[in-house]
Amino acid sequence: MARVLLATFGSLGDLHPYIAVGRALTAQGINARIATCSDYRSQVEAAGLEFAPVAPSLAALGTPQELARRVADPLRGSAVLVKGLIMPHLRESHQQLRVAARDCELLIGHPLTYMLQVVAAEQGKPWLSSILAPASFLSREDPPAMAPINSLQIARRLGPWIYRPLLRFVRLAVRRWERPLHDYRRELGLPVSTKVMIFEGQFSALGTLALFDAPLMRPQPDWPPNTRLCGTPLFDGAAPDARDLKRLQDFLAAGAPPLVFALGSSAVWLGGEFWVQALEAARQLGRRAILITGSGSLPNLPDWACEFGYLPYSQVFPHACVIVHQAGIGTLSQALRAGRPQLITPVWFDQPDNAARAVRLGVARTLPFRRVTAARLAQQLRPLLNTPAYATAARDLARQVQAVDGAAVAAAYIMQVLSRSVQRLP
């Protein structure tokens, strides 16, 4: 039986899509192995998939709160992620990926699994790239709205005389972050590459899986060749605790649809004052509220509010009057399927771009996380609650994205590539 390796790194938002694809492959008789941080072994194995550890371990990098603070800077966060968290572990991740890939016929990489294509070259194996959000394409035709390069959107409108030099400047800066990677490739005797790995260097000539919902970004002329836009592969995590589910059902039955506040699996560790402001905004609006805080430790909540440390978003988002979230691509995908208006409070990385795309689709408004106050939340929530066009657009878009099984589409494409690769073997 064929075996496929899916390598990823990051938060649960970077893990769950690959679990979804792995499960879809398993349903088609393909063994699927997830190679990622050792912290996620239990989640992967509970989903019925093989697991292989790959450095770095998140636990070794610090507490969730420390990690969140380190990458939260809007200008330097990406550099901290690449230079401080990934580059120091290249050798260890290389050795572990070698072992994980040894009995696999096809390898699939995440934008931050730099060593996967090195292992593919060493072992003479085909590999596919994958991306989870539109911003990863860094398209010149549809530039992302994300720090520190959201200025690319303005520069593109001004013309090539400023856009091209600015893009070159960004590339040079990122290339410096990646210097240890290119030094290590030379040490291994691999050809010197002029590609920037966070830009065009991450993509496989064999093909790229675009694992996001099609309405967020239409295919662009400068996408890599052989890109397949699959839709979002959905995996909503562990089943909820039975007591929490009962508490949720009781709260929902007791009154009007609530505002639902969530910050995903990583930005949630920056929550702090956000939850205080969220409660005050709900009070000002006379609305009930559900807060998914990651900790379940807010004291003295009023009876019109309910807190949960964890809930699968598919269980709660459809019951909201408005969903307030950070626009991690996994959270956004669940919110789109819920068919409810959204207020998005983006924190970092691709989230500002995801938020901007949801706004363009007419289903959301946005307020940067750093500017959140109760008054601003309430100001942005009022039109979402009182303007029927948001609810109508959200329902229409939900029907569109619900019709696509991103995991099944990705699995079908992977099986086609796998079949062609096997046929080429002597």
Side-chain angles (χ1 to χ4, degrees):
M1 186 181 294
R3 177 173 281 104
V4 172
L5 181 73
L6 301 110
T8 184
F9 173 80
S11 68
L12 290 178
D14 297 281
L15 173 67
H16 284 174
Y18 297 93
I19 289 180
V21 173
R23 286 161 63 97
L25 288 169
T26 300
Q28 297 298 320
I30 305 295
N31 285 326
R33 176 178 297 156
I34 304 288
T36 189
C37 312
S38 57
D39 317 73
Y40 295 139
R41 176 185 292 273
S42 61
Q43 290 96 319
V44 172
E45 293 180 344
L49 303 176
E50 298 178 8
F51 176 81
V54 177
S57 157
L58 297 180
L61 297 176
T63 67
Q65 294 87 346
E66 289 168 346
L67 279 175
R69 285 194 294 269
R70 289 176 69 183
V71 301
D73 188 285
L75 293 177
R76 293 183 289 273
S78 295
V80 169
L81 174 64
V82 175
K83 292 170 60 178
L85 303 185
I86 296 178
M87 291 299 155
H89 301 275
L90 292 177
R91 292 177 186 275
E92 186 180 2
S93 66
H94 179 209
Q95 296 303 320
Q96 290 175 316
L97 274 172
R98 275 177 168 168
V99 175
R102 193 167 293 153
D103 58 347
C104 296
E105 284 76 24
L106 177 67
L107 316 181
I108 299 173
H110 172 279
L112 295 179
T113 55
Y114 299 114
M115 287 293 103
L116 182 119
Q117 56 182 284
V118 171
V119 171
E122 288 176 334
Q123 298 184 1
K125 291 180 176 175
W127 70 283
L128 291 172
S129 46
S130 64
I131 59 101
L132 299 178
S136 289
F137 279 127
L138 291 166
S139 170
R140 291 172 173 83
E141 303 298 321
D142 186 2
M146 53 188 284
I149 57 175
N150 48 341
S151 54
L152 289 178
Q153 290 195 324
I154 299 172
R156 183 175 181 272
R157 289 194 288 270
L158 292 175
W161 65 275
I162 189 170
Y163 178 76
R164 288 171 185 163
L166 178 59
L167 189 59
R168 283 197 295 271
F169 173 79
V170 173
R171 288 174 58 85
L172 286 172
V174 175
R175 180 77 179 194
R176 286 195 292 271
W177 305 350
E178 297 179 348
R179 187 170 296 152
L181 170 63
H182 296 283
D183 290 345
Y184 187 48
R185 287 175 61 92
R186 278 193 292 271
E187 181 183 327
L188 293 170
L190 294 173
V192 175
S193 174
T194 59
K195 294 180 177 179
V196 179
M197 289 300 168
I198 295 180
F199 283 34
E200 72 282 359
Q202 67 176 291
F203 297 115
S204 167
L206 189 60
T208 296
L209 303 171
L211 303 176
F212 57 80
D213 292 315
L216 293 174
M217 186 185 198
R218 67 179 186 272
Q220 297 296 322
D222 59 351
W223 278 14
N226 304 315
T227 294
R228 179 63 184 270
L229 181 52
C230 301
T232 301
L234 287 176
F235 177 76
D236 205 13
D241 180 86
R243 290 169 297 182
D244 281 343
L245 187 57
K246 177 65 164 58
R247 194 157 57 92
L248 172 65
Q249 292 169 344
D250 290 345
F251 182 79
L252 292 172
L259 299 166
V260 174
F261 295 86
L263 289 175
S265 62
S266 52
V268 70
W269 300 111
L270 298 174
E273 184 66 15
F274 176 87
W275 309 116
V276 176
Q277 301 302 319
L279 282 169
E280 175 58 21
R283 188 196 65 78
Q284 291 179 17
L285 295 168
R287 295 281 177 164
R288 304 193 320 142
I290 289 176
L291 303 95
I292 306 173
T293 64
S295 61
S297 59
L298 294 178
N300 305 317
L301 286 179
D303 59 8
W304 48 263
C306 195
E307 180 196 10
F308 297 87
Y310 163 79
L311 280 176
Y313 290 154
S314 62
Q315 299 286 321
V316 62
F317 280 2
H319 302 287
C321 57
V322 175
I323 305 163
V324 184
H325 65 93
Q326 87 295 357
I329 194 64
T331 306
L332 176 60
S333 299
Q334 292 287 357
L336 293 177
R337 281 158 180 76
R340 298 292 182 266
Q342 304 169 43
L343 174 56
I344 301 178
T345 59
V347 181
W348 47 33
F349 305 128
D350 60 318
Q351 292 172 8
D353 185 62
N354 297 336
R357 294 176 188 279
V359 169
R360 291 205 296 267
L361 290 170
V363 301
R365 297 174 71 87
T366 186
L367 172 66
F369 181 81
R370 292 173 181 273
R371 298 190 66 243
V372 164
T373 64
R376 289 175 179 145
L377 285 171
Q379 180 184 34
Q380 294 296 328
L381 284 166
R382 285 189 182 96
L384 292 167
L385 290 164
N386 300 324
T387 308
Y390 286 108
T392 300
R395 287 193 298 269
D396 291 345
L397 187 57
R399 285 192 289 268
Q400 185 177 348
V401 297
Q402 287 168 3
V404 178
D405 184 341
V409 173
Y413 184 74
I414 290 166
M415 292 174 68
Q416 291 175 18
V417 173
L418 188 60
S419 176
R420 292 196 299 268
S421 300
V422 171
Q423 290 171 8
R424 283 195 288 268
L425 292 176

